[in-house]
Amino acid sequence: MNAQMVLTMGQEALLMLLMVSSPVLGAALVVGLLVSLFQAVTQIHEATLAFVPKLVAVIAVFAIAGPWMLTMLVEYIRRTIEAIPASVV
């Protein structure tokens, strides 16, 4: 295993991390922005009002995009494990 192979594997891992986490983080960001806007307009500053909608949105995204996320991670792990014999040489 040379340095180029290690850097490529690290780059693929970071790209996978971004692809898998972006739906959940995006949903939390959008819902948080909407709740903050609602709180600013109505001047209601309740802590649960900020937390509960984000939690519901993240759970919904996991329910919808969860199978895709799991498939992507399993395929990455499969490719990584299959690359072990070639890197040992």
Side-chain angles (χ1 to χ4, degrees):
M1 176 177 281
N2 57 14
Q4 182 63 33
M5 189 177 232
V6 172
L7 290 174
T8 302
M9 289 177 69
Q11 183 180 10
E12 287 177 4
L14 289 175
L15 184 63
M16 181 63 56
L17 175 73
L18 286 174
M19 284 183 6
V20 169
S21 65
S22 63
V24 176
L25 293 176
L29 177 72
V30 169
V31 170
L33 182 65
L34 292 175
V35 168
S36 296
L37 184 64
F38 175 75
Q39 284 181 335
V41 169
T42 62
Q43 293 183 355
I44 299 173
H45 296 290
E46 181 68 30
T48 56
L49 186 61
F51 179 72
V52 173
K54 280 194 261 186
L55 181 64
V56 170
V58 166
I59 290 172
V61 168
F62 272 126
I64 294 168
W68 171 78
M69 294 164 72
L70 187 61
T71 303
M72 294 294 289
L73 287 172
V74 167
E75 287 297 317
Y76 174 73
I77 291 170
R78 185 188 56 78
R79 281 185 283 130
T80 303
I81 291 173
E82 287 177 353
I84 289 174
S87 64
V88 173
V89 172

